[in-house]
Amino acid sequence: MLKKSLLVGGLATMMLVTGCQLPEQGQTLQRTSNYDSHQPNGGYSPINQVNATDDYNHFGYSRYERELVMRGNQEVIPVIDRERLSDAVTRMVLTNDVISEAGTLVTDKYVLVAYDAQADNREYVADQVKRSALSIVPRYYEVYISDNHDHFDEIERFQHLTSATSDIERTIEQTIQMMQLESPQGQYNENTDDNINIMQSKQRRLMDR
């Protein structure tokens, strides 16, 4: 019997960092390699593993004066460290007991997750994997998943590319189409799943398949 994983701490795993850097061409949010030693935490606000911090229960709080953050006539742009976000999504997906392996690609607007599941009920597992990813990523991201092992290689080939790579969006969208055709995408619906009764009813239907 499949155990329903508890998706805890989604908001705590948001990898927002602040860097004085202009966005990539055509993008407003991006991964940044900027490092500002004058900012708290050396310029980063990373997600920590439980064993990597003395007190992981602390709240987060920041306060700045506009003159300081706008110094030099450069906008301070909230950005996402895509490497850390992909790591966090992968680890969250693996909290589902039936998932033995997972890999995640994070682009400027897509999150692609490949996973291996030791279970027969693909629809139910897909729903859990989709929820795991959505519990972490910013709401503007589109999440696509696949339990086809071949898609590990498909998404891995993009890992060293950037949003500025020629024709990259068309290539990624072709991969997304394959993932949608070959694997269930989960039945998460943000308009109804906040209702616990609707969600539980749907979960029972999925488990009965």
Side-chain angles (χ1 to χ4, degrees):
M1 184 176 185
L2 299 177
K3 291 179 62 180
K4 180 179 178 181
S5 300
L6 299 177
L7 304 181
V8 181
L11 292 178
T13 55
M14 188 79 71
M15 270 63 60
L16 286 179
V17 297
T18 301
C20 297
Q21 176 177 338
L22 293 177
E24 296 173 6
Q25 183 176 2
Q27 306 298 332
T28 57
L29 291 172
Q30 66 182 62
R31 179 183 172 191
T32 179
S33 59
N34 279 6
Y35 182 89
D36 184 354
S37 61
H38 300 294
Q39 294 288 340
N41 298 322
Y44 291 124
S45 178
I47 175 175
N48 289 320
Q49 301 302 315
V50 171
N51 60 359
T53 180
D54 292 332
D55 189 350
Y56 58 91
N57 290 315
H58 282 174
F59 295 157
Y61 173 76
S62 297
R63 177 177 176 176
Y64 302 103
E65 292 182 7
R66 178 178 173 80
E67 289 183 3
L68 294 178
V69 299
M70 300 299 288
R71 183 173 295 166
N73 294 322
Q74 284 188 313
E75 285 191 37
V76 175
I77 304 170
V79 293
I80 291 174
D81 189 319
R82 297 173 188 170
E83 191 72 27
R84 291 178 184 269
L85 182 56
S86 68
D87 181 84
V89 171
T90 301
R91 291 175 183 274
M92 182 62 80
V93 168
L94 288 170
T95 63
N96 294 279
D97 292 344
V98 296
I99 306 299
S100 59
E101 185 178 6
T104 304
L105 174 76
V106 176
T107 74
D108 54 330
K109 62 180 181 180
Y110 298 122
V111 172
L112 310 184
V113 181
Y115 62 95
D116 278 337
Q118 309 302 316
D120 296 327
N121 193 330
R122 296 176 69 203
E123 294 286 348
Y124 177 82
V125 174
D127 199 68
Q128 297 303 298
V129 170
K130 176 66 78 65
R131 290 173 185 278
S132 297
L134 289 171
S135 72
I136 295 178
V137 302
R139 292 177 68 93
Y140 68 85
Y141 268 101
E142 297 178 28
V143 176
Y144 299 95
I145 62 178
S146 175
D147 58 359
N148 182 336
H149 191 82
D150 292 341
H151 287 156
F152 278 97
D153 293 335
E154 284 292 326
I155 66 175
E156 187 174 324
R157 65 194 173 109
F158 298 118
Q159 65 177 317
H160 299 302
L161 304 182
T162 74
S163 301
T165 301
S166 177
D167 210 29
I168 186 62
E169 186 164 346
R170 183 181 66 84
T171 306
I172 289 178
E173 288 176 353
Q174 289 176 342
T175 299
I176 290 172
Q177 289 176 0
M178 288 193 302
M179 296 173 75
Q180 290 178 301
L181 286 173
E182 299 175 11
S183 300
Q185 295 300 304
Q187 297 185 21
Y188 174 82
N189 185 328
E190 66 178 356
N191 295 321
T192 61
D193 282 17
D194 286 341
N195 184 313
I196 188 65
N197 294 324
I198 293 177
M199 185 184 74
Q200 290 177 341
S201 176
K202 185 186 72 173
Q203 291 297 298
R204 286 193 294 269
R205 291 198 306 271
L206 289 173
M207 294 183 68
D208 289 340
R209 292 185 177 184

